[in-house]
Structures are given as C-alpha cells and as structure tokens.
Amino acid sequence: MRIESIYRYPVKGLSAEALEEIALTPGRTLPEDRRFALAQGDSPFDLAAPAWLPKRHFGCLMVNARLALVHSAFDARTGDLILRIPGTAPLIANTRSEEGRAAIAAALTVYLGEEARGTPRFLEAPGHSFSDVANKVVSIIGLSSLRALEQASGMTLDKLRFRANVYVSGGSPWAEFDWIGQEIQLGQAKLRVLKRIVRCPATEVNPSTGERDARPPRWLRDHFGHADLGVYAEVIEGGRICVGDALEALEPAG
C-alpha cells in the first residue's frame, strides 16, 4: 500500500491543508492538526486545565454544516490565519494575539448566526489536540474501503468528507481493520493501530457545497454491518512520511 495524500486540519471543523511530506513525532498528532477550535459559548472547555470534550462543544461539521464553505490557511511560522468566509472579504488575523483570536471568533460567530451559542471563543491550548478522540492520533483511510462504500451506495464521495490525515491506496477493502493492535510502518515512522473510526453525521456534508447530500454512516451500517471507515493510530517511532511512501503492516514480534 502507498500514501496517496496527506492532510492536516489546523482549525477543528474548517478546511484541509494538503501536505507533500511531514515529520511525525512519537505520541503526537500531525504538526498543527486540530491545533485550534471555536468553542461554543456554553462549552465548559477550560484553558487552565485543557481536557478532551466531545465535538458538540465546538464548531464542527456534525452540527454546523455551513463551516464546510469557510476556507482557512494557517502559517505556523507567523501564527497568521487566513479565513475566506462566504460573503465577506478575506480575514487575516494572528492567532498569537488576543486581538487576533477575538477577530477570528467574531467573524465565525457572525457567519454561524443562530448556530452560534452564547459568545464563542477561538482557542488554542499548547500541547492539546481538539481531536474527536482523547488520544493523540493519526487517522488513516484505505481508499479501497472508500471505493467499496461508493460502489454499495451508488454515489461518488469526496474523500475529504472523512477528514483523515493519511489516505492510502492498494490492498483490499477494510484491510485496515486487520491492523487493530498491530504496528505498521508508514514511511520512516512506525505507528500502532488503536481502533476503527466510527463515522458520524459530519460525513453527510459535501465539502464543496456545504449541503447534507449523503448518508455514509447509514450506508455503512446497511451494506457492511458497521459504521466504521478508517483507523486511528498512535506514533511510536517518529520519522518523515511523504506522498508515495509505502505503508506496511508489520508482523507481531516474537
């Protein structure tokens, strides 16, 4: 199997950034992945004691489909975030300043309208990942599994609906489920596969239109008896991964 594409999502719920290569670090996510989030005004997230919370406490596609139309780009060197929100001029704000974070929160709050609850905050908590799971993980999808879902549903599905970090080609559908509890070699890095990714209504949202025009969780259950697509893996040995690199499942030791 080989890596076809690599993505990170600096702001939870906002657009993907494609990468040609990236260095993975043990026990960490992809650099900058889910680094920021828009916490709803009623979210109990505490910057002084950051802890994992379910996605409903933040701006997310499961609840806020219109976020699919917000295009974002993050510059890790300067801390600048560019937002292109439909109907408004591009916003460039610095995530390292209180003023910049407030401007980002205000712009997204106006765009969400009635979907914004209270006074949302644009947040970063150093060392914390606003991931859908508590572990710091890398998400991987086998494109053969996605093709099987497309064939069963009769609909072409943009892979970005599923917001994975790494998409790999080759292998048979659902082969990645066989890796649970095992180690894999991904480029120069070694990872341990932890569990399947259970799909939620976020995948119903078309990333190009912001419309809910598909039912992947239901189709998975109807055709395959589960609602899973892809796996989560933790980095246990760091190294660079590049588009075109191989993914190999490793034999259990001993």
Side-chain angles (χ1 to χ4, degrees), residues 196-234:
R196 301 181 182 190
I197 303 174
V198 181
R199 292 302 166 180
C200 76
T203 61
E204 298 173 355
V205 180
N206 186 319
S208 298
T209 67
E211 298 294 328
R212 294 189 185 274
D213 61 2
R215 302 289 295 277
R218 178 175 177 176
W219 295 339
L220 285 165
R221 289 191 295 269
D222 288 349
H223 296 287
F224 302 104
H226 58 74
D228 308 333
L229 183 68
V231 293
Y232 288 122
E234 62 178 352

PDB file of all heavy atoms in Angstrom, residues 196-234:
ATOM      1  N   ARG A 196     -10.909   1.359  15.133  1.00  0.00           N
ATOM      2  CA  ARG A 196     -11.623   1.854  13.958  1.00  0.00           C
ATOM      3  C   ARG A 196     -12.168   3.257  14.225  1.00  0.00           C
ATOM      4  O   ARG A 196     -12.353   3.655  15.382  1.00  0.00           O
ATOM      5  CB  ARG A 196     -12.800   0.941  13.626  1.00  0.00           C
ATOM      6  CG  ARG A 196     -12.469  -0.505  13.341  1.00  0.00           C
ATOM      7  CD  ARG A 196     -13.762  -1.230  13.005  1.00  0.00           C
ATOM      8  NE  ARG A 196     -13.580  -2.656  12.764  1.00  0.00           N
ATOM      9  CZ  ARG A 196     -14.528  -3.439  12.268  1.00  0.00           C
ATOM     10  NH1 ARG A 196     -15.723  -2.929  12.000  1.00  0.00           N
ATOM     11  NH2 ARG A 196     -14.284  -4.721  12.060  1.00  0.00           N
ATOM     12  N   ILE A 197     -12.450   3.961  13.155  1.00  0.00           N
ATOM     13  CA  ILE A 197     -13.085   5.275  13.260  1.00  0.00           C
ATOM     14  C   ILE A 197     -14.572   5.116  12.976  1.00  0.00           C
ATOM     15  O   ILE A 197     -14.969   4.726  11.872  1.00  0.00           O
ATOM     16  CB  ILE A 197     -12.476   6.275  12.268  1.00  0.00           C
ATOM     17  CG1 ILE A 197     -10.968   6.398  12.488  1.00  0.00           C
ATOM     18  CG2 ILE A 197     -13.148   7.635  12.414  1.00  0.00           C
ATOM     19  CD1 ILE A 197     -10.274   7.268  11.452  1.00  0.00           C
ATOM     20  N   VAL A 198     -15.384   5.402  13.976  1.00  0.00           N
ATOM     21  CA  VAL A 198     -16.840   5.351  13.818  1.00  0.00           C
ATOM     22  C   VAL A 198     -17.292   6.658  13.175  1.00  0.00           C
ATOM     23  O   VAL A 198     -16.975   7.745  13.660  1.00  0.00           O
ATOM     24  CB  VAL A 198     -17.539   5.151  15.175  1.00  0.00           C
ATOM     25  CG1 VAL A 198     -19.049   5.078  14.975  1.00  0.00           C
ATOM     26  CG2 VAL A 198     -17.021   3.899  15.868  1.00  0.00           C
ATOM     27  N   ARG A 199     -18.052   6.553  12.097  1.00  0.00           N
ATOM     28  CA  ARG A 199     -18.439   7.730  11.336  1.00  0.00           C
ATOM     29  C   ARG A 199     -19.722   8.362  11.857  1.00  0.00           C
ATOM     30  O   ARG A 199     -20.660   7.675  12.250  1.00  0.00           O
ATOM     31  CB  ARG A 199     -18.580   7.359   9.864  1.00  0.00           C
ATOM     32  CG  ARG A 199     -17.237   7.019   9.245  1.00  0.00           C
ATOM     33  CD  ARG A 199     -16.296   8.195   9.381  1.00  0.00           C
ATOM     34  NE  ARG A 199     -14.910   7.843   9.113  1.00  0.00           N
ATOM     35  CZ  ARG A 199     -13.920   8.709   9.180  1.00  0.00           C
ATOM     36  NH1 ARG A 199     -14.156   9.961   9.525  1.00  0.00           N
ATOM     37  NH2 ARG A 199     -12.684   8.331   8.933  1.00  0.00           N
ATOM     38  N   CYS A 200     -19.723   9.714  11.838  1.00  0.00           N
ATOM     39  CA  CYS A 200     -20.843  10.487  12.378  1.00  0.00           C
ATOM     40  C   CYS A 200     -21.459  11.324  11.269  1.00  0.00           C
ATOM     41  O   CYS A 200     -20.997  11.313  10.119  1.00  0.00           O
ATOM     42  CB  CYS A 200     -20.344  11.382  13.519  1.00  0.00           C
ATOM     43  SG  CYS A 200     -19.428  12.825  12.958  1.00  0.00           S
ATOM     44  N   PRO A 201     -22.520  12.090  11.568  1.00  0.00           N
ATOM     45  CA  PRO A 201     -23.190  12.885  10.542  1.00  0.00           C
ATOM     46  C   PRO A 201     -22.329  13.952   9.870  1.00  0.00           C
ATOM     47  O   PRO A 201     -22.745  14.525   8.863  1.00  0.00           O
ATOM     48  CB  PRO A 201     -24.354  13.518  11.308  1.00  0.00           C
ATOM     49  CG  PRO A 201     -24.669  12.548  12.393  1.00  0.00           C
ATOM     50  CD  PRO A 201     -23.329  12.031  12.814  1.00  0.00           C
ATOM     51  N   ALA A 202     -21.132  14.226  10.400  1.00  0.00           N
ATOM     52  CA  ALA A 202     -20.247  15.177   9.710  1.00  0.00           C
ATOM     53  C   ALA A 202     -19.966  14.723   8.286  1.00  0.00           C
ATOM     54  O   ALA A 202     -19.789  15.552   7.377  1.00  0.00           O
ATOM     55  CB  ALA A 202     -18.939  15.327  10.485  1.00  0.00           C
ATOM     56  N   THR A 203     -19.932  13.403   8.061  1.00  0.00           N
ATOM     57  CA  THR A 203     -19.614  12.877   6.736  1.00  0.00           C
ATOM     58  C   THR A 203     -20.764  13.051   5.749  1.00  0.00           C
ATOM     59  O   THR A 203     -20.581  12.819   4.543  1.00  0.00           O
ATOM     60  CB  THR A 203     -19.233  11.393   6.817  1.00  0.00           C
ATOM     61  OG1 THR A 203     -20.344  10.648   7.350  1.00  0.00           O
ATOM     62  CG2 THR A 203     -18.029  11.192   7.724  1.00  0.00           C
ATOM     63  N   GLU A 204     -21.920  13.442   6.234  1.00  0.00           N
ATOM     64  CA  GLU A 204     -23.045  13.723   5.339  1.00  0.00           C
ATOM     65  C   GLU A 204     -22.839  15.016   4.558  1.00  0.00           C
ATOM     66  O   GLU A 204     -23.482  15.248   3.530  1.00  0.00           O
ATOM     67  CB  GLU A 204     -24.341  13.827   6.144  1.00  0.00           C
ATOM     68  CG  GLU A 204     -24.722  12.558   6.875  1.00  0.00           C
ATOM     69  CD  GLU A 204     -25.923  12.745   7.787  1.00  0.00           C
ATOM     70  OE1 GLU A 204     -26.396  13.885   7.929  1.00  0.00           O
ATOM     71  OE2 GLU A 204     -26.390  11.741   8.359  1.00  0.00           O
ATOM     72  N   VAL A 205     -21.944  15.868   5.044  1.00  0.00           N
ATOM     73  CA  VAL A 205     -21.760  17.208   4.481  1.00  0.00           C
ATOM     74  C   VAL A 205     -20.805  17.174   3.294  1.00  0.00           C
ATOM     75  O   VAL A 205     -19.680  16.687   3.392  1.00  0.00           O
ATOM     76  CB  VAL A 205     -21.219  18.173   5.547  1.00  0.00           C
ATOM     77  CG1 VAL A 205     -21.035  19.575   4.959  1.00  0.00           C
ATOM     78  CG2 VAL A 205     -22.162  18.226   6.752  1.00  0.00           C
ATOM     79  N   ASN A 206     -21.274  17.717   2.174  1.00  0.00           N
ATOM     80  CA  ASN A 206     -20.441  17.841   0.986  1.00  0.00           C
ATOM     81  C   ASN A 206     -19.449  18.978   1.212  1.00  0.00           C
ATOM     82  O   ASN A 206     -19.861  20.126   1.414  1.00  0.00           O
ATOM     83  CB  ASN A 206     -21.322  18.132  -0.224  1.00  0.00           C
ATOM     84  CG  ASN A 206     -20.565  18.128  -1.528  1.00  0.00           C
ATOM     85  OD1 ASN A 206     -19.454  18.632  -1.623  1.00  0.00           O
ATOM     86  ND2 ASN A 206     -21.184  17.569  -2.561  1.00  0.00           N
ATOM     87  N   PRO A 207     -18.130  18.705   1.192  1.00  0.00           N
ATOM     88  CA  PRO A 207     -17.166  19.773   1.487  1.00  0.00           C
ATOM     89  C   PRO A 207     -17.129  20.873   0.436  1.00  0.00           C
ATOM     90  O   PRO A 207     -16.605  21.957   0.702  1.00  0.00           O
ATOM     91  CB  PRO A 207     -15.833  19.029   1.559  1.00  0.00           C
ATOM     92  CG  PRO A 207     -16.039  17.775   0.791  1.00  0.00           C
ATOM     93  CD  PRO A 207     -17.476  17.412   0.969  1.00  0.00           C
ATOM     94  N   SER A 208     -17.696  20.627  -0.731  1.00  0.00           N
ATOM     95  CA  SER A 208     -17.708  21.640  -1.792  1.00  0.00           C
ATOM     96  C   SER A 208     -18.927  22.549  -1.726  1.00  0.00           C
ATOM     97  O   SER A 208     -18.852  23.720  -2.124  1.00  0.00           O
ATOM     98  CB  SER A 208     -17.656  20.968  -3.173  1.00  0.00           C
ATOM     99  OG  SER A 208     -16.460  20.229  -3.328  1.00  0.00           O
ATOM    100  N   THR A 209     -20.054  22.013  -1.238  1.00  0.00           N
ATOM    101  CA  THR A 209     -21.304  22.775  -1.260  1.00  0.00           C
ATOM    102  C   THR A 209     -21.841  23.129   0.120  1.00  0.00           C
ATOM    103  O   THR A 209     -22.694  24.012   0.244  1.00  0.00           O
ATOM    104  CB  THR A 209     -22.394  21.986  -2.000  1.00  0.00           C
ATOM    105  OG1 THR A 209     -22.726  20.814  -1.224  1.00  0.00           O
ATOM    106  CG2 THR A 209     -21.929  21.559  -3.380  1.00  0.00           C
ATOM    107  N   GLY A 210     -21.382  22.424   1.165  1.00  0.00           N
ATOM    108  CA  GLY A 210     -21.920  22.638   2.498  1.00  0.00           C
ATOM    109  C   GLY A 210     -23.291  22.015   2.699  1.00  0.00           C
ATOM    110  O   GLY A 210     -23.921  22.230   3.738  1.00  0.00           O
ATOM    111  N   GLU A 211     -23.751  21.231   1.735  1.00  0.00           N
ATOM    112  CA  GLU A 211     -25.070  20.592   1.826  1.00  0.00           C
ATOM    113  C   GLU A 211     -24.933  19.176   2.378  1.00  0.00           C
ATOM    114  O   GLU A 211     -23.949  18.478   2.129  1.00  0.00           O
ATOM    115  CB  GLU A 211     -25.728  20.527   0.444  1.00  0.00           C
ATOM    116  CG  GLU A 211     -25.986  21.880  -0.191  1.00  0.00           C
ATOM    117  CD  GLU A 211     -27.018  22.706   0.562  1.00  0.00           C
ATOM    118  OE1 GLU A 211     -27.942  22.092   1.141  1.00  0.00           O
ATOM    119  OE2 GLU A 211     -26.880  23.935   0.586  1.00  0.00           O
ATOM    120  N   ARG A 212     -25.957  18.750   3.099  1.00  0.00           N
ATOM    121  CA  ARG A 212     -26.012  17.358   3.560  1.00  0.00           C
ATOM    122  C   ARG A 212     -26.673  16.547   2.443  1.00  0.00           C
ATOM    123  O   ARG A 212     -27.897  16.517   2.321  1.00  0.00           O
ATOM    124  CB  ARG A 212     -26.811  17.249   4.864  1.00  0.00           C
ATOM    125  CG  ARG A 212     -26.134  17.946   6.039  1.00  0.00           C
ATOM    126  CD  ARG A 212     -26.821  17.655   7.364  1.00  0.00           C
ATOM    127  NE  ARG A 212     -26.227  18.417   8.441  1.00  0.00           N
ATOM    128  CZ  ARG A 212     -25.152  18.030   9.145  1.00  0.00           C
ATOM    129  NH1 ARG A 212     -24.586  16.873   8.876  1.00  0.00           N
ATOM    130  NH2 ARG A 212     -24.667  18.795  10.100  1.00  0.00           N
ATOM    131  N   ASP A 213     -25.845  15.903   1.636  1.00  0.00           N
ATOM    132  CA  ASP A 213     -26.370  15.237   0.443  1.00  0.00           C
ATOM    133  C   ASP A 213     -26.016  13.757   0.381  1.00  0.00           C
ATOM    134  O   ASP A 213     -26.123  13.138  -0.674  1.00  0.00           O
ATOM    135  CB  ASP A 213     -25.862  15.951  -0.815  1.00  0.00           C
ATOM    136  CG  ASP A 213     -24.342  15.942  -0.939  1.00  0.00           C
ATOM    137  OD1 ASP A 213     -23.681  15.352  -0.055  1.00  0.00           O
ATOM    138  OD2 ASP A 213     -23.821  16.521  -1.911  1.00  0.00           O
ATOM    139  N   ALA A 214     -25.567  13.185   1.481  1.00  0.00           N
ATOM    140  CA  ALA A 214     -25.207  11.766   1.515  1.00  0.00           C
ATOM    141  C   ALA A 214     -25.414  11.234   2.923  1.00  0.00           C
ATOM    142  O   ALA A 214     -25.512  12.001   3.877  1.00  0.00           O
ATOM    143  CB  ALA A 214     -23.762  11.573   1.066  1.00  0.00           C
ATOM    144  N   ARG A 215     -25.441   9.887   3.042  1.00  0.00           N
ATOM    145  CA  ARG A 215     -25.671   9.264   4.351  1.00  0.00           C
ATOM    146  C   ARG A 215     -24.632   8.172   4.623  1.00  0.00           C
ATOM    147  O   ARG A 215     -24.998   7.008   4.840  1.00  0.00           O
ATOM    148  CB  ARG A 215     -27.081   8.655   4.384  1.00  0.00           C
ATOM    149  CG  ARG A 215     -28.219   9.632   4.123  1.00  0.00           C
ATOM    150  CD  ARG A 215     -28.433  10.591   5.263  1.00  0.00           C
ATOM    151  NE  ARG A 215     -28.860   9.920   6.466  1.00  0.00           N
ATOM    152  CZ  ARG A 215     -30.128   9.572   6.726  1.00  0.00           C
ATOM    153  NH1 ARG A 215     -31.090   9.816   5.843  1.00  0.00           N
ATOM    154  NH2 ARG A 215     -30.424   8.977   7.857  1.00  0.00           N
ATOM    155  N   PRO A 216     -23.356   8.502   4.633  1.00  0.00           N
ATOM    156  CA  PRO A 216     -22.340   7.452   4.829  1.00  0.00           C
ATOM    157  C   PRO A 216     -22.527   6.573   6.059  1.00  0.00           C
ATOM    158  O   PRO A 216     -22.388   5.345   5.947  1.00  0.00           O
ATOM    159  CB  PRO A 216     -21.030   8.247   4.887  1.00  0.00           C
ATOM    160  CG  PRO A 216     -21.293   9.434   4.016  1.00  0.00           C
ATOM    161  CD  PRO A 216     -22.725   9.804   4.330  1.00  0.00           C
ATOM    162  N   PRO A 217     -22.835   7.129   7.249  1.00  0.00           N
ATOM    163  CA  PRO A 217     -22.993   6.222   8.397  1.00  0.00           C
ATOM    164  C   PRO A 217     -24.110   5.198   8.179  1.00  0.00           C
ATOM    165  O   PRO A 217     -23.940   4.010   8.504  1.00  0.00           O
ATOM    166  CB  PRO A 217     -23.324   7.182   9.551  1.00  0.00           C
ATOM    167  CG  PRO A 217     -22.716   8.481   9.140  1.00  0.00           C
ATOM    168  CD  PRO A 217     -22.938   8.543   7.659  1.00  0.00           C
ATOM    169  N   ARG A 218     -25.218   5.658   7.620  1.00  0.00           N
ATOM    170  CA  ARG A 218     -26.330   4.734   7.369  1.00  0.00           C
ATOM    171  C   ARG A 218     -25.960   3.720   6.302  1.00  0.00           C
ATOM    172  O   ARG A 218     -26.252   2.521   6.437  1.00  0.00           O
ATOM    173  CB  ARG A 218     -27.572   5.518   6.944  1.00  0.00           C
ATOM    174  CG  ARG A 218     -28.756   4.622   6.617  1.00  0.00           C
ATOM    175  CD  ARG A 218     -29.999   5.425   6.318  1.00  0.00           C
ATOM    176  NE  ARG A 218     -31.111   4.554   5.947  1.00  0.00           N
ATOM    177  CZ  ARG A 218     -32.335   4.994   5.707  1.00  0.00           C
ATOM    178  NH1 ARG A 218     -32.627   6.285   5.803  1.00  0.00           N
ATOM    179  NH2 ARG A 218     -33.292   4.148   5.379  1.00  0.00           N
ATOM    180  N   TRP A 219     -25.310   4.156   5.237  1.00  0.00           N
ATOM    181  CA  TRP A 219     -24.931   3.244   4.168  1.00  0.00           C
ATOM    182  C   TRP A 219     -23.935   2.209   4.657  1.00  0.00           C
ATOM    183  O   TRP A 219     -23.994   1.043   4.260  1.00  0.00           O
ATOM    184  CB  TRP A 219     -24.359   4.029   2.991  1.00  0.00           C
ATOM    185  CG  TRP A 219     -25.353   4.934   2.326  1.00  0.00           C
ATOM    186  CD1 TRP A 219     -26.719   4.841   2.372  1.00  0.00           C
ATOM    187  CD2 TRP A 219     -25.058   6.091   1.533  1.00  0.00           C
ATOM    188  NE1 TRP A 219     -27.290   5.866   1.659  1.00  0.00           N
ATOM    189  CE2 TRP A 219     -26.307   6.640   1.123  1.00  0.00           C
ATOM    190  CE3 TRP A 219     -23.885   6.710   1.127  1.00  0.00           C
ATOM    191  CZ2 TRP A 219     -26.386   7.784   0.334  1.00  0.00           C
ATOM    192  CZ3 TRP A 219     -23.960   7.841   0.333  1.00  0.00           C
ATOM    193  CH2 TRP A 219     -25.190   8.367  -0.062  1.00  0.00           C
ATOM    194  N   LEU A 220     -23.014   2.614   5.494  1.00  0.00           N
ATOM    195  CA  LEU A 220     -22.073   1.647   6.061  1.00  0.00           C
ATOM    196  C   LEU A 220     -22.802   0.576   6.867  1.00  0.00           C
ATOM    197  O   LEU A 220     -22.525  -0.626   6.736  1.00  0.00           O
ATOM    198  CB  LEU A 220     -21.047   2.374   6.938  1.00  0.00           C
ATOM    199  CG  LEU A 220     -19.957   3.153   6.210  1.00  0.00           C
ATOM    200  CD1 LEU A 220     -19.259   4.108   7.169  1.00  0.00           C
ATOM    201  CD2 LEU A 220     -18.938   2.199   5.577  1.00  0.00           C
ATOM    202  N   ARG A 221     -23.733   1.019   7.694  1.00  0.00           N
ATOM    203  CA  ARG A 221     -24.491   0.045   8.504  1.00  0.00           C
ATOM    204  C   ARG A 221     -25.344  -0.862   7.622  1.00  0.00           C
ATOM    205  O   ARG A 221     -25.396  -2.083   7.835  1.00  0.00           O
ATOM    206  CB  ARG A 221     -25.367   0.778   9.523  1.00  0.00           C
ATOM    207  CG  ARG A 221     -24.599   1.427  10.658  1.00  0.00           C
ATOM    208  CD  ARG A 221     -25.538   1.890  11.757  1.00  0.00           C
ATOM    209  NE  ARG A 221     -26.417   2.956  11.302  1.00  0.00           N
ATOM    210  CZ  ARG A 221     -26.155   4.250  11.398  1.00  0.00           C
ATOM    211  NH1 ARG A 221     -25.013   4.645  11.945  1.00  0.00           N
ATOM    212  NH2 ARG A 221     -27.011   5.156  10.972  1.00  0.00           N
ATOM    213  N   ASP A 222     -26.018  -0.271   6.625  1.00  0.00           N
ATOM    214  CA  ASP A 222     -26.928  -1.053   5.777  1.00  0.00           C
ATOM    215  C   ASP A 222     -26.181  -2.083   4.930  1.00  0.00           C
ATOM    216  O   ASP A 222     -26.667  -3.211   4.748  1.00  0.00           O
ATOM    217  CB  ASP A 222     -27.715  -0.119   4.853  1.00  0.00           C
ATOM    218  CG  ASP A 222     -28.775   0.695   5.584  1.00  0.00           C
ATOM    219  OD1 ASP A 222     -29.046   0.389   6.770  1.00  0.00           O
ATOM    220  OD2 ASP A 222     -29.319   1.636   4.974  1.00  0.00           O
ATOM    221  N   HIS A 223     -25.016  -1.711   4.412  1.00  0.00           N
ATOM    222  CA  HIS A 223     -24.320  -2.574   3.461  1.00  0.00           C
ATOM    223  C   HIS A 223     -23.208  -3.412   4.076  1.00  0.00           C
ATOM    224  O   HIS A 223     -22.865  -4.469   3.534  1.00  0.00           O
ATOM    225  CB  HIS A 223     -23.740  -1.728   2.318  1.00  0.00           C
ATOM    226  CG  HIS A 223     -24.776  -1.048   1.485  1.00  0.00           C
ATOM    227  ND1 HIS A 223     -25.572  -1.720   0.586  1.00  0.00           N
ATOM    228  CD2 HIS A 223     -25.148   0.260   1.414  1.00  0.00           C
ATOM    229  CE1 HIS A 223     -26.394  -0.865  -0.010  1.00  0.00           C
ATOM    230  NE2 HIS A 223     -26.162   0.346   0.478  1.00  0.00           N
ATOM    231  N   PHE A 224     -22.655  -2.946   5.213  1.00  0.00           N
ATOM    232  CA  PHE A 224     -21.491  -3.639   5.761  1.00  0.00           C
ATOM    233  C   PHE A 224     -21.640  -4.024   7.228  1.00  0.00           C
ATOM    234  O   PHE A 224     -20.751  -4.655   7.795  1.00  0.00           O
ATOM    235  CB  PHE A 224     -20.238  -2.770   5.578  1.00  0.00           C
ATOM    236  CG  PHE A 224     -19.968  -2.424   4.133  1.00  0.00           C
ATOM    237  CD1 PHE A 224     -20.267  -1.153   3.649  1.00  0.00           C
ATOM    238  CD2 PHE A 224     -19.449  -3.365   3.258  1.00  0.00           C
ATOM    239  CE1 PHE A 224     -20.044  -0.826   2.315  1.00  0.00           C
ATOM    240  CE2 PHE A 224     -19.220  -3.050   1.926  1.00  0.00           C
ATOM    241  CZ  PHE A 224     -19.512  -1.776   1.450  1.00  0.00           C
ATOM    242  N   GLY A 225     -22.738  -3.627   7.857  1.00  0.00           N
ATOM    243  CA  GLY A 225     -23.000  -4.042   9.227  1.00  0.00           C
ATOM    244  C   GLY A 225     -22.220  -3.286  10.291  1.00  0.00           C
ATOM    245  O   GLY A 225     -22.136  -3.721  11.428  1.00  0.00           O
ATOM    246  N   HIS A 226     -21.618  -2.167   9.914  1.00  0.00           N
ATOM    247  CA  HIS A 226     -20.909  -1.315  10.878  1.00  0.00           C
ATOM    248  C   HIS A 226     -20.926   0.105  10.330  1.00  0.00           C
ATOM    249  O   HIS A 226     -21.316   0.335   9.180  1.00  0.00           O
ATOM    250  CB  HIS A 226     -19.473  -1.797  11.083  1.00  0.00           C
ATOM    251  CG  HIS A 226     -18.660  -1.846   9.815  1.00  0.00           C
ATOM    252  ND1 HIS A 226     -18.172  -0.715   9.182  1.00  0.00           N
ATOM    253  CD2 HIS A 226     -18.259  -2.900   9.040  1.00  0.00           C
ATOM    254  CE1 HIS A 226     -17.511  -1.050   8.094  1.00  0.00           C
ATOM    255  NE2 HIS A 226     -17.551  -2.369   7.982  1.00  0.00           N
ATOM    256  N   ALA A 227     -20.512   1.058  11.149  1.00  0.00           N
ATOM    257  CA  ALA A 227     -20.482   2.466  10.727  1.00  0.00           C
ATOM    258  C   ALA A 227     -19.055   2.994  10.686  1.00  0.00           C
ATOM    259  O   ALA A 227     -18.809   4.182  10.903  1.00  0.00           O
ATOM    260  CB  ALA A 227     -21.337   3.316  11.664  1.00  0.00           C
ATOM    261  N   ASP A 228     -18.095   2.122  10.385  1.00  0.00           N
ATOM    262  CA  ASP A 228     -16.682   2.462  10.510  1.00  0.00           C
ATOM    263  C   ASP A 228     -16.013   2.632   9.147  1.00  0.00           C
ATOM    264  O   ASP A 228     -16.274   1.869   8.205  1.00  0.00           O
ATOM    265  CB  ASP A 228     -15.940   1.365  11.282  1.00  0.00           C
ATOM    266  CG  ASP A 228     -16.617   1.031  12.600  1.00  0.00           C
ATOM    267  OD1 ASP A 228     -17.301   1.908  13.154  1.00  0.00           O
ATOM    268  OD2 ASP A 228     -16.463  -0.118  13.074  1.00  0.00           O
ATOM    269  N   LEU A 229     -15.117   3.623   9.073  1.00  0.00           N
ATOM    270  CA  LEU A 229     -14.294   3.810   7.889  1.00  0.00           C
ATOM    271  C   LEU A 229     -12.973   4.432   8.334  1.00  0.00           C
ATOM    272  O   LEU A 229     -12.956   5.556   8.835  1.00  0.00           O
ATOM    273  CB  LEU A 229     -14.977   4.712   6.861  1.00  0.00           C
ATOM    274  CG  LEU A 229     -14.213   4.903   5.547  1.00  0.00           C
ATOM    275  CD1 LEU A 229     -14.165   3.591   4.758  1.00  0.00           C
ATOM    276  CD2 LEU A 229     -14.847   5.993   4.692  1.00  0.00           C
ATOM    277  N   GLY A 230     -11.885   3.686   8.176  1.00  0.00           N
ATOM    278  CA  GLY A 230     -10.574   4.165   8.592  1.00  0.00           C
ATOM    279  C   GLY A 230     -10.220   3.729  10.001  1.00  0.00           C
ATOM    280  O   GLY A 230     -11.036   3.128  10.715  1.00  0.00           O
ATOM    281  N   VAL A 231      -8.971   4.042  10.386  1.00  0.00           N
ATOM    282  CA  VAL A 231      -8.480   3.662  11.713  1.00  0.00           C
ATOM    283  C   VAL A 231      -7.676   4.810  12.316  1.00  0.00           C
ATOM    284  O   VAL A 231      -7.151   5.678  11.610  1.00  0.00           O
ATOM    285  CB  VAL A 231      -7.589   2.399  11.645  1.00  0.00           C
ATOM    286  CG1 VAL A 231      -8.402   1.185  11.248  1.00  0.00           C
ATOM    287  CG2 VAL A 231      -6.399   2.602  10.697  1.00  0.00           C
ATOM    288  N   TYR A 232      -7.601   4.799  13.644  1.00  0.00           N
ATOM    289  CA  TYR A 232      -6.721   5.700  14.385  1.00  0.00           C
ATOM    290  C   TYR A 232      -5.452   4.938  14.766  1.00  0.00           C
ATOM    291  O   TYR A 232      -5.514   3.772  15.185  1.00  0.00           O
ATOM    292  CB  TYR A 232      -7.390   6.181  15.668  1.00  0.00           C
ATOM    293  CG  TYR A 232      -8.513   7.159  15.482  1.00  0.00           C
ATOM    294  CD1 TYR A 232      -9.788   6.877  15.974  1.00  0.00           C
ATOM    295  CD2 TYR A 232      -8.306   8.374  14.849  1.00  0.00           C
ATOM    296  CE1 TYR A 232     -10.826   7.783  15.832  1.00  0.00           C
ATOM    297  CE2 TYR A 232      -9.348   9.289  14.699  1.00  0.00           C
ATOM    298  CZ  TYR A 232     -10.595   8.987  15.194  1.00  0.00           C
ATOM    299  OH  TYR A 232     -11.621   9.893  15.047  1.00  0.00           O
ATOM    300  N   ALA A 233      -4.312   5.627  14.649  1.00  0.00           N
ATOM    301  CA  ALA A 233      -3.036   5.012  15.028  1.00  0.00           C
ATOM    302  C   ALA A 233      -2.205   6.023  15.803  1.00  0.00           C
ATOM    303  O   ALA A 233      -2.258   7.227  15.540  1.00  0.00           O
ATOM    304  CB  ALA A 233      -2.280   4.546  13.791  1.00  0.00           C
ATOM    305  N   GLU A 234      -1.428   5.519  16.763  1.00  0.00           N
ATOM    306  CA  GLU A 234      -0.535   6.384  17.529  1.00  0.00           C
ATOM    307  C   GLU A 234       0.889   6.213  17.024  1.00  0.00           C
ATOM    308  O   GLU A 234       1.309   5.106  16.667  1.00  0.00           O
ATOM    309  CB  GLU A 234      -0.610   6.063  19.015  1.00  0.00           C
ATOM    310  CG  GLU A 234      -0.179   4.654  19.386  1.00  0.00           C
ATOM    311  CD  GLU A 234      -0.222   4.413  20.884  1.00  0.00           C
ATOM    312  OE1 GLU A 234      -0.447   5.375  21.633  1.00  0.00           O
ATOM    313  OE2 GLU A 234      -0.030   3.246  21.297  1.00  0.00           O
TER     314      GLU A 234
END
